Amino acid sequence: MRTEAAELVFDEATKVYPGRESAAVDHLSLTVPAGEICVLVGPSGGGKTTALKLVNRLIPLTSGDIRIDGTSILEQDVVELRRSIGYVIQQVGLFPHMTVEGNIGTVPRLYRRPRSWIKARSAELLELVGLDPSYAKRFPAQLSGGERQRVGLARALAANPPLMLMDEPFGAIDPIVRARLQDEFLRLQKEIRKTVVFVTHDVDEAIKVGDRIAILREGGRLAQYDTPQQILEHPADEFVAEFVGRDRALKALALRTLGELELSPATEDGLPRLPADTSLRDALALLVAERRNALLVIGADGAPLGVATREDLLA
Ligand SMILES: Nc1ncnc2c1ncn2[C@@H]1O[C@H](COP(=O)(O)OP(=O)(O)OP(=O)(O)O)[C@@H](O)[C@H]1O
Ligand SMILES: [Mg+2]
């Protein structure tokens, strides 16, 4: 088993389903650097799931190539290939007749790992995704939707794959649990540094979790591939601008913090105080709510760093 993160390259990858005139994925070219999260977003039917399934060869490429650490997927044994890729499918897809531990152990069992190893690995992964070890003996029907999605994530991580494909892993979950799962996933990613392709419908989720975002338009054509900041501040065209939303300027504010501003010296007393790691969006919300024009930025040690005005936030 390889364990390090792998670079993933789509090279003019194209899929035309049999009997269909137009492509589902059309000459898709992009590189996901090792250890980064690439989020695929786009309209329903835009080819996101198809793009993922091409990578682990659940469906064959019509033309073009996909390479993992420089090796074409076509040159790899398909069984080995799939085992080396963690796959979280749309709607989780846990095996209902197996316990949580049984589900997590699916791939390690294929590698003939001993029972004790699987038990220990399962306990470790449950902890990693924030579930109590006692969940190991439960069945999927005895879990909430959010818990099932965590087990799905733990199962995909079980063989420590260098590459993870995640198809709307947090779809169909209420916004609060969803935000928590996103936070946990980002914390986890800091530790394990996988290369991840993450599909979502939700632009805000894409901005939050993506190191880079690939926006697919209808017909599986790449509209833009860039950092969240670049996409929000410099959308490539009308389609991208429309897709990320009219409030993209506000969304962009969420990506910057007070600490990144050039502050002026503190002269006024009684200003609202906010830590330097507060996002500009949250800072602006506070100024609007409190009908103030300026705030005092404070460092981690509580010492004042300087003053930021509304104009500074919006510049
Ligand atoms: N097995 C198939 N045979 C023929 N056409 C298919 C098949 N699977 C998907 N398609 C078509 O390919 C296109 C892309 O589908 P895909 O599932 O990749 O979209 P998606 O971006 O994942 O959509 P969603 O956001 O709704 O999940 C759609 O037009 C779909 O109807
Ligand atoms: Mg899909």
Side-chain angles (χ1 to χ4, degrees):
M1 264 187 264
R2 289 174 306 174
T3 54
E4 255 133 60
E7 181 194 67
L8 174 67
V9 175
F10 288 86
D11 183 2
E12 304 279 310
T14 299
K15 177 66 190 180
V16 185
Y17 283 108
R20 308 235 348 182
E21 293 209 338
S22 53
V25 171
D26 196 358
H27 294 86
L28 179 65
S29 290
L30 59 85
T31 296
V32 188
E36 282 202 4
I37 302 173
C38 165
V39 178
L40 282 184
V41 282
S44 186
K48 304 180 295 297
T49 296
T50 301
L52 287 194
K53 287 182 172 171
L54 288 173
V55 177
N56 57 14
R57 289 175 60 187
L58 284 175
I59 50 176
L61 278 162
T62 305
S63 65
D65 196 7
I66 294 173
R67 290 184 292 276
I68 299 174
D69 271 347
T71 307
S72 168
I73 56 166
L74 302 171
E75 285 164 21
Q76 300 182 41
D77 175 68
V78 70
V79 177
E80 267 306 305
L81 176 76
R82 286 191 197 141
R83 286 183 191 173
S84 70
I85 298 174
Y87 187 35
V88 182
I89 59 174
Q90 219 167 344
Q91 311 308 340
V92 192
L94 296 179
F95 303 115
H97 59 288
M98 282 187 199
T99 61
V100 164
E101 188 175 279
N103 268 284
I104 295 175
T106 309
V107 175
R109 272 198 307 280
L110 294 173
Y111 280 110
R112 307 206 181 286
R113 294 281 187 180
R115 265 194 175 178
S116 55
W117 189 94
I118 293 176
K119 222 178 159 63
R121 180 75 179 140
S122 154
E124 181 185 38
L125 286 164
L126 285 176
E127 195 192 328
L128 207 60
V129 299
L131 290 176
D132 191 84
S134 65
Y135 276 65
K137 295 294 166 215
R138 293 212 207 171
F139 288 89
Q142 301 167 320
L143 305 175
S144 76
E147 289 167 348
R148 257 177 247 153
Q149 298 213 295
R150 289 175 207 222
V151 175
L153 181 59
R155 181 176 62 181
L157 286 168
N160 202 14
L163 175 62
M164 300 272 291
L165 307 175
M166 305 175 71
D167 199 349
E168 309 213 20
F170 309 140
I173 285 193
D174 72 76
I176 294 171
V177 177
R178 191 177 176 128
R180 212 170 61 216
L181 286 177
Q182 290 163 350
D183 291 339
E184 281 169 15
F185 172 64
L186 289 174
R187 176 186 54 76
L188 192 63
Q189 170 67 357
K190 276 208 184 100
E191 277 175 45
I192 59 180
R193 284 271 159 227
K194 302 290 179 195
T195 306
V196 180
V197 186
F198 184 115
V199 169
T200 180
H201 270 101
D202 176 354
V203 174
D204 291 304
E205 181 166 76
I207 293 165
K208 180 168 171 185
V209 307
D211 293 306
R212 287 161 209 257
I213 299 176
I215 301 187
L216 291 178
R217 62 167 90 236
E218 241 113 77
R221 279 171 300 134
L222 186 63
Q224 190 167 1
Y225 181 49
D226 233 320
T227 60
Q229 193 107 36
Q230 281 295 318
I231 283 184
L232 290 171
E233 292 175 1
H234 308 286
D237 56 25
E238 235 354 86
F239 170 81
V240 175
E242 186 79 17
F243 191 79
V244 294
R246 287 184 207 289
D247 59 342
R248 64 190 170 83
L250 268 181
K251 285 175 176 150
L253 285 180
L255 294 174
R256 292 187 196 269
T257 62
L258 290 172
E260 295 167 44
L261 296 179
E262 225 170 282
L263 304 170
S264 27
T267 46
E268 208 178 320
D269 279 339
L271 292 177
R273 300 159 74 93
L274 278 179
D277 62 359
T278 308
S279 76
L280 299 191
R281 188 177 187 163
D282 290 346
L284 189 67
L286 177 109
L287 289 182
V288 170
E290 303 211 345
R291 295 164 195 260
R292 303 294 291 261
N293 278 316
L295 57 87
L296 185 65
V297 182
I298 53 173
D301 55 356
L305 298 176
V307 169
T309 63
R310 272 192 201 209
E311 286 70 50
D312 295 335
L313 299 185
L314 296 172

